[in-house]
Amino acid sequence: DTAVSQTPKYLVTQMGNDKSIKCEQNLGHDTMYWYKQDSKKFLKIMFSYNNKELIINETVPNRFSPKSPDKAHLNLHINSLELGDSAVYFCASSQAVNTEAFFGQGTRLTVV
Amino acid sequence: GDSVTQMEGPVTLSEEAFLTINCTYTATGYPSLFWYVQYPGEGLQLLLKATKADDKGSNKGFEATYRKETTSFHLEKGSVQVSDSAVYFCALRTYSSASKIIFGSGTRLSIRP
């Protein structure tokens, strides 16, 4: 039973396309996140949702739009994909403040 | 702002060697501290954590002690194995940044048989 699952695992697409990544957690957590990992392995938070409300948006371009239909799901939609969007995107969840986060397996996005 | 600094990699060791990966932090308040591990092609897994000063987190032979006086959380293992080869991330979370975990830049560890 995967705790945090995201799909797809790999995504190859052309510049200018629109794509979505889906994330689901079955841990009953209140908070979900999207992180971006660049080619040097550096991890940077993009968004955080608590009980379906956006609480962090870390200067991410407007082309990125998260959507949380319920507490267990946090999807990421990306419009007009650019070469620089190529990265691994991780979804994560946590129960409360000051607790650890559980991560999905990642989605490797390649824009060509 | 809050931040984490960890030693640059890559770190290459022989099997059964002693491992230390240094990590220091800057934070307001009293953070929880974490070490995550990322094996090739996989997501991040929590390796160990400590939530208050002088706590020692441990798992799979790895240990780290929360040192408030030196703002450090160094990762150690007495005898590494080839299977420990991975990227290790030190991270923190405070009430002031309650909704995000802040990561260090990661340290790649390679173990030679």
Side-chain angles (χ1 to χ4, degrees):
Chain A
D1 233 12
T2 306
V4 181
S5 60
Q6 48 183 115
T7 55
K9 188 168 182 181
Y10 300 98
L11 187 52
V12 181
T13 188
Q14 290 187 326
M15 281 175 55
N17 284 351
D18 304 338
K19 290 293 178 187
S20 291
I21 307 171
K22 296 188 174 183
C23 178
E24 175 182 7
Q25 54 96 2
N26 62 6
L27 299 168
H29 289 168
D30 292 332
T31 306
M32 295 186 72
Y33 316 81
W34 279 107
Y35 279 83
K36 180 179 180 180
Q37 185 175 48
D38 64 22
S39 58
K40 295 185 179 178
K41 299 290 189 184
F42 187 71
L43 279 155
K44 184 173 168 54
I45 191 164
M46 301 172 68
F47 302 102
S48 174
Y49 270 72
N50 183 264
N51 285 317
K52 299 195 297 173
E53 283 194 35
L54 179 67
I55 49 177
I56 287 183
N57 180 342
E58 290 275 318
T59 60
V60 178
N62 290 340
R63 299 182 295 103
F64 290 79
S65 53
K67 284 195 171 41
S68 183
D70 55 59
K71 275 174 46 171
H73 295 84
L74 179 62
N75 303 323
L76 182 66
H77 188 75
I78 315 169
N79 289 327
S80 303
L81 278 154
E82 301 177 357
L83 293 177
D85 298 331
S86 296
V88 181
Y89 293 84
F90 286 102
C91 177
S93 71
S94 66
Q95 177 53 38
V97 298
N98 239 21
T99 61
E100 66 269 29
F102 293 81
F103 283 78
Q105 291 290 90
T107 296
R108 181 175 294 277
L109 171 66
T110 303
V111 183
V112 297
Chain B
D2 300 338
S3 66
V4 176
T5 303
Q6 58 182 107
M7 66 188 286
E8 296 266 339
V11 173
T12 303
L13 296 172
S14 297
E15 206 165 20
E16 299 184 3
F18 185 86
L19 168 71
T20 300
I21 300 177
N22 290 335
C23 171
T24 57
Y25 66 89
T26 302
T28 53
Y30 303 97
S32 289
L33 301 174
F34 311 97
W35 277 100
Y36 281 83
V37 58
Q38 185 177 25
Y39 298 103
E42 297 186 12
L44 280 81
Q45 302 174 26
L46 179 69
L47 181 59
L48 53 85
K49 67 178 181 180
T51 58
K52 60 182 187 297
D54 300 325
D55 270 1
K56 178 187 280 188
S58 61
N59 186 24
K60 299 181 181 180
F62 290 90
E63 292 183 341
T65 301
Y66 189 141
R67 301 281 186 208
K68 186 164 174 279
E69 61 277 12
T70 54
T71 62
S72 65
F73 191 55
H74 304 321
L75 182 68
E76 296 182 337
K77 186 175 185 183
S79 176
V80 292
Q81 306 300 313
V82 172
S83 57
D84 294 326
S85 298
V87 181
Y88 291 81
F89 294 90
C90 185
L92 69 79
R93 186 171 191 174
T94 67
Y95 284 104
S96 65
S97 58
S99 296
K100 63 185 177 184
I101 292 178
I102 296 169
F103 287 89
S105 55
T107 302
R108 184 180 298 277
L109 174 66
S110 296
I111 307 300
R112 294 188 299 252

